[in-house]
Structure formats: C-alpha cells, structure tokens
Amino acid sequence: MGNDSLIHREESRKLRIININKTFTGGSQNLAALSNVSIKINEGDFVCILGPSGCGKTTLLRCIAGLERADSGEIMLGENPVRGPGPDRIVVFQDFDQLLPWKTVKENVAFPLKVNKKAPEKEIRDTVKQNLALVGLEEFEDYYPHQLSGGMKQRAAIARALTIHPKVLLMDEPFASVDSQTRTSLQNELIKIWEKFHPTIVFITHNIEEAVILGNRIAVMSSRPGTIKKVIPNELPRPRTVGSAGFSERWNELNNLLVSN
Amino acid sequence: MKKKFINRLIFIIGLSVLWEGTVRSGIFPKAERLFPSLMDIFKALAEVIASGELFGLMGYSLYLIVLGLFIGVVLALVLSILAISSQTIAGFVDTAVTIMHPLPGIALLPLAILWFGTGQEPIVFIIVHAILWPMILNIMAGFKAIPAIYREVGQNIGLSGPRLAISIMLPAAFPYLLAGLKIGWARSWRALIAAEMIFGTSGTQGGLGWYIYQQRYFINVSGVFAALIVIMVIGILIEDILFGLIERKTVKKWGMTA
Ligand SMILES: Nc1ncnc2c1ncn2[C@@H]1O[C@H](COP(=O)(O)OP(=O)(O)OP(=O)(O)O)[C@@H](O)[C@H]1O
Ligand SMILES: [Mg+2]
C-alpha cells in the first residue's frame, strides 16, 4: 500500500459530529440534552469528553454509536453518515449489566468475533485469552456474569470491545467503578492498545486526572443542555503521571473550565 | 430438593394409609369394585407393566405429546419472532391469542374431527392448540422484558433482524420461554389425555387416556386407577425432574429469573 492511499484512508475515517441537537420528549416536559454539539475527530485520535453528571455525555456517545438519533445535525464517519449501530463503532457502556448473562466471560468476549466471523476458532481463542489477560480476568474466563463484581463485569466488557479492533471505540466512563490501582493499569493498557492499533477513541469521563492522562485532546462540556465549551489539545509527553511536568497546570485549566459553568 | 422429596414421600404415604383405611373400614360396602384397595390397584399396575402393554400406551401418548409440543413450540417461536419484527403481524398475533387462548381444546374437538377425521391428527391439533397460545404470550412477555442494553449490545456488534432475534432476544427471553413451556406442557398433557378418551385409537394403537376409557368400559376400576397413577407419575417426573434439570442447566446457572 502506498503512502497516498494510507493518507486517503485516514482522512476518509474522520469522525465528524456536525451541529447535533437532541431533546428527549418525556410526557409533558421536554428535556434538552444536547445543543449544537460539533466536534471533528481524526482517525486514530484519542479524545476525552469531560463534563458534569447529566450534561449529555452518554447521549452524545449513543448518537455516535447510532443507538440514538439526533433531532438535527449529522454525524459522519468518513464519507458515510451514521444511520444506525454497527461493529465499526464499538461501545463500552456505562451500565454494569452489559455482558450477556447466558454466556460465560470467555464466550462474551469471543462473541463479537464469532458474530462477525473475523477469525478461525483457534485465533479467536487466542485473542480472547490475550484480552482477558489484559484486563486481569484470565482466571474468571468460565464464570458467568452474575458471579462477577461490578468492576470485573466492566473489565470483561472492555475486553469484549477490544476483540474486534474496532475503527472507533466509544467508552462511557469505563473505569469509573474500579479501584485506583486497577484503574491506573487499565489506563496504561488502553494507551498501549491505542498506540498499537490506533483506533479512534472517544472516552467519556468526569475525572479530570483521567482525561489528562489519556486524551490527545479534551473536550469540556457544559451542563445541560450539553454543549461543547472548549476542546483543549493535550500534548503532554507520554507516559503521563500526576507528577509530570505540566500536569497540574492542565488539571487547573480544565477544572476552571468545568466550574465556570 | 431432598427436603421436597421427603415431604412428598410423607404426603404420599399418609394418603395411601388414609386410602387403605377407608377401603377396609367398609364405609363403601358394596362398592369394592368402584373403590379398590391399593393392593388391587398395584396388581393392575403390575399387570399392564408385565404384559408390556404399559410401554405401548406410554409410548403412544408421549409420542403424540412430543410431536404436538414440537409443532407448538416451533409455531410459537416463528409467530413471536414475526410479531416483534412487524407491527402488522403483531396485531394479528395479538388478536389471535386473545381469541384463542381462553378456548378449551376440548371445545375444538368436533371441529378437529371434521377437519382431520379420527386418529392422531386431531389429537396433535388439540395439543398444539393447548401449548401455542400460552407459549406465544410468554415469549412476547419475555421479549418485552428484555433489558434494552442486551439488544443494543447485539446491534452494536453488527446483529440485526433474525440473527439478533436468535442470538440475543431468544436467550434473553429464555426464562419466560421456559415458563411458557412448563405451562404449555401441563396444559397439553391434560388435553392429550382428555382427547384420547374421546377417540384415542388409530388402528390398534392407543395411549393412556384411551386405556382409561377402555377400562371403564370393562368396569375395571383398578385399571383406571393404575393408569391415573402412571399419568401422575409422568407429570411429576417431567415437571420436577426434567424441567428442574433444564432450569439448573440454564436460568439458575445464568442467574436469570423471569
Ligand atoms: N432515554 C432518555 N429519556 C429521557 N431523558 C433522557 C434519556 N436519556 C438521557 N436523558 C436525559 O438527558 C440528560 C443527559 O443524560 P446523559 O445520560 O447523557 O448524561 P451524562 O452526561 O452521561 O451523565 P452521567 O455523567 O451521570 O452519566 C439527563 O438529564 C437525562 O435525564
Ligand atoms: Mg453517562
């Protein structure tokens, strides 16, 4: 493959959210969740979306996933408008109970590969093993979801999302429920995966520190109705830790943006 | 499980003692033949077993019910899946269930005879009727109760249409499906015995219901009771042992309840 086609391919995979609005109509009252949200995300970019609870982060992610339809505006993945859900945009939901209860952990993680017939049996088994090891669940591969803790379920869901190497990975506060040590190691693993496969990642969090550690860019949302207040490039050198040079400045900058609602 | 078994055993022994006591006390003096002693009943039971007749009877009844259940479950699944795929079909199915569900199968017998003649077909028809409607009701209720996130996970990884229905909706609704199957089994087992009594034979073959009818004709009350015991035992075996086993291997293992 020549250089030209590579560049072309990258451009054609750009994720563009163009001026979308979303209002939930629940009975008598309408609830504006998103208002004129626009953001362009290059292929392979790692964008964190930071915002207070209830500001519409999940709604935005569900619109990108095609699980929710925006009232107006357009979401484009490359040249194609997003019309519905699909395996090119894999979601890690905020919900604990996103594993299929009738499948073991192993079967859950293998499921996307099986459905999409991406690989022969043996290869699927290897990928599943690797991904389970990545999230520290290899000992629990034969457990059923109801036998796992909330954080373990979430880790299994992450392993499942990673198995088919989606072009776009949509993650909704995936590490919110794990202890800080596990969180740090999962963050490191996610960065490794991103550096290796360069999926486009949209990562929702309301943890400023997490946003600074992970994101290439950080989009700060205002409270309801959600708008994108500012997108900050975050080019601190990796690996980043709380003590890295520039970390606290970035943290303060984001914190100020968040509180100045 | 063990406790349940012991409880049942105690109950059955108690009932037998009561029975035998009543018979021997002579409260029903002239009616020995209508109210036989346990000994006579077991003799009759031993006879049908020893002659091999019982297995023919059971085999025939079980064959009919398995056939009927199979057709009923497949039809119920197909109709339910069609109904969740299309609003129009959902309307038809809903109306059909509303009309047909309360209708006792026996009430359809005359019609079944006119349509299929006598023999196996009308009985299978009655069994299918007995299981189809409660099964559809349960499957539909199950589909409606599925948490949206399972469907979304399925759609997210690229499933849609019938594949989504089979890979996600059916297993997610399985607790309801199983409940429907239990109700369907109970209803169709009763319907089968009743239908057999009315025209249980095709040629020389007949089932347990037909046997009861025949024994009544010969005024062999012990034989009637023997067949009743067999019918009860099969009912208990299927409901407790078979469905219990299926539950342990599925919904209990998965931590899912309807
Ligand atoms: N299906 C729905 N029907 C009606 N209102 C909804 C629905 N989904 C979300 N909302 C409303 O939209 C707003 C944004 O919700 P959303 O879940 O996107 O917030 P969030 O930013 O993800 O919050 P959190 O950080 O707590 O997860 C909320 O006020 C919520 O009540
Ligand atoms: Mg949310």
Side-chain angles (χ1 to χ4, degrees):
Chain A
M1 204 192 301
N3 228 3
D4 285 354
S5 65
L6 197 72
I7 288 163
H8 177 75
R9 195 179 60 95
E10 282 192 9
E11 272 177 352
S12 75
R13 277 291 161 188
K14 194 175 200 162
L15 181 62
R16 285 176 295 164
I17 291 108
I18 307 159
N19 214 14
I20 64 165
N21 289 277
K22 177 77 189 174
T23 299
F24 289 106
T25 44
S28 54
Q29 67 204 35
N30 290 349
L31 196 141
L34 294 174
S35 165
N36 293 321
V37 170
S38 294
I39 181 170
K40 287 191 182 122
I41 301 172
N42 284 326
E43 176 170 26
D45 203 355
F46 194 150
V47 174
C48 285
I49 296 184
L50 196 57
S53 181
C55 75
K57 303 183 294 295
T58 296
T59 307
L60 173 59
L61 201 78
R62 288 174 57 82
C63 286
I64 301 173
L67 294 168
E68 206 86 67
R69 202 93 173 76
D71 300 330
S72 63
E74 187 88 85
I75 296 175
M76 305 285 292
L77 181 57
E79 301 305 311
N80 308 313
V82 166
R83 289 276 176 266
D88 52 352
R89 285 154 290 132
I90 291 291
V91 183
V92 177
F93 293 88
Q94 194 172 5
D95 197 320
F96 278 174
D97 290 315
Q98 59 188 294
L99 298 175
L100 304 174
W102 58 92
K103 289 181 185 293
T104 60
V105 168
K106 194 168 63 182
E107 290 164 351
N108 263 289
V109 175
F111 192 46
L113 282 177
K114 292 236 163 100
V115 163
N116 290 284
K117 298 204 176 55
K118 276 264 171 109
E121 278 295 319
K122 163 109 180 49
E123 209 172 299
I124 291 181
R125 243 176 298 141
D126 293 344
T127 313
V128 168
K129 273 233 150 50
Q130 280 167 20
N131 282 304
L132 281 176
L134 213 62
V135 297
L137 282 179
E138 55 289 53
E139 283 168 52
F140 297 93
E141 59 172 28
D142 291 320
Y143 278 51
Y144 283 90
H146 75 105
Q147 299 168 309
L148 302 180
S149 73
M152 288 160 84
K153 287 181 194 170
Q154 210 61 7
R155 283 186 273 151
I158 294 164
R160 177 176 68 188
L162 297 177
T163 48
I164 55 172
H165 299 310
K167 301 203 171 69
V168 179
L169 199 49
L170 305 169
M171 307 181 86
D172 197 349
E173 305 191 29
F175 307 151
S177 55
V178 297
D179 61 275
S180 66
Q181 265 162 308
T182 312
R183 173 186 276 239
T184 305
S185 81
L186 286 174
Q187 285 169 348
N188 290 336
E189 291 307 339
L190 182 62
I191 291 167
K192 265 191 222 154
I193 287 158
W194 174 68
E195 283 170 344
K196 193 164 164 198
F197 299 108
H198 272 281
T200 309
I201 300 181
V202 182
F203 187 105
I204 289 177
T205 178
H206 46 220
N207 182 328
I208 301 177
E209 190 182 304
E210 183 164 68
V212 179
I213 284 179
L214 293 176
N216 258 0
R217 291 192 299 152
I218 299 164
V220 179
M221 287 180 75
S222 67
S223 57
R224 236 182 38 232
T227 56
I228 295 201
K229 227 191 235 176
K230 197 165 182 193
V231 182
I232 295 183
N234 181 35
E235 66 299 325
L236 297 179
R238 294 173 194 271
R240 301 166 184 162
T241 60
V242 184
S244 314
F247 193 99
S248 51
E249 286 82 355
R250 176 81 4 103
W251 196 97
N252 285 328
E253 181 185 2
L254 290 164
N255 193 43
N256 288 339
L257 266 171
L258 275 173
V259 294
S260 72
N261 252 317
Chain B
M1 190 65 206
K2 210 168 199 161
K3 188 149 178 251
K4 194 166 144 190
F5 179 73
I6 291 170
N7 279 343
R8 287 226 169 128
L9 204 64
I10 290 170
F11 179 76
I12 290 169
I13 291 171
L15 198 67
S16 308
V17 169
L18 197 66
W19 177 284
E20 200 61 20
T22 315
V23 174
R24 300 215 173 171
S25 70
I27 296 175
F28 306 103
K30 284 182 294 182
E32 266 165 41
R33 298 180 68 180
L34 300 184
F35 200 44
S37 76
L38 286 177
M39 209 51 208
D40 290 339
I41 294 173
F42 282 116
K43 244 187 243 159
L45 194 56
E47 240 164 66
V48 279
I49 293 174
S51 68
E53 198 183 356
L54 181 69
F55 302 102
L57 298 169
M58 267 171 52
Y60 187 75
S61 289
L62 288 175
Y63 158 74
L64 286 182
I65 202 160
V66 168
L67 185 66
L69 283 179
F70 179 76
I71 298 172
V73 170
V74 170
L75 267 180
L77 285 176
V78 169
L79 286 174
S80 307
I81 289 174
L82 286 175
I84 49 161
S85 323
S86 146
Q87 281 294 319
T88 321
I89 300 177
F92 285 135
V93 171
D94 185 60
T95 312
V97 172
T98 311
I99 294 171
M100 299 304 288
H101 187 49
L103 199 62
I106 292 301
L108 287 177
L109 263 182
L111 207 57
I113 297 171
L114 287 176
W115 284 348
F116 303 106
T118 56
Q120 296 183 3
E121 292 87 351
I123 298 183
V124 173
F125 175 80
I126 298 297
I127 295 173
V128 170
H129 167 81
I131 189 171
L132 182 59
W133 314 111
M135 195 78 199
I136 290 179
L137 274 178
N138 269 274
I139 298 175
M140 297 301 283
F143 283 163
K144 283 190 190 123
I146 296 174
I149 193 157
Y150 296 155
R151 204 173 41 240
E152 289 178 351
V153 165
Q155 292 171 333
N156 187 226
I157 62 171
L159 291 169
S160 61
R163 282 184 81 201
L164 185 72
I166 289 166
S167 306
I168 302 282
M169 309 293 272
L170 279 185
F174 192 77
Y176 289 82
L177 236 114
L178 196 59
L181 198 60
K182 273 164 126 176
I183 297 169
W185 152 263
R187 279 186 55 156
S188 50
W189 184 233
R190 287 154 187 70
L192 165 75
I193 302 297
E196 276 185 357
M197 286 196 183
I198 298 180
F199 46 46
T201 57
S202 63
T204 55
Q205 259 294 22
L208 289 163
W210 169 76
Y211 181 78
I212 290 180
Y213 188 75
Q214 219 184 17
Q215 298 314 302
R216 185 212 64 113
Y217 192 77
F218 297 132
I219 324 187
N220 175 10
V221 183
S222 306
V224 172
F225 277 110
L228 286 179
I229 288 176
V230 173
I231 289 167
M232 280 189 290
V233 168
I234 292 177
I236 291 170
L237 282 182
I238 303 270
E239 264 158 61
D240 278 14
I241 314 260
L242 185 65
F243 281 117
L245 187 76
I246 295 176
E247 270 173 6
R248 254 174 292 129
K249 294 258 173 222
T250 57
V251 288
K252 290 224 174 99
K253 193 165 81 178
W254 303 336
M256 292 171 87
T257 42

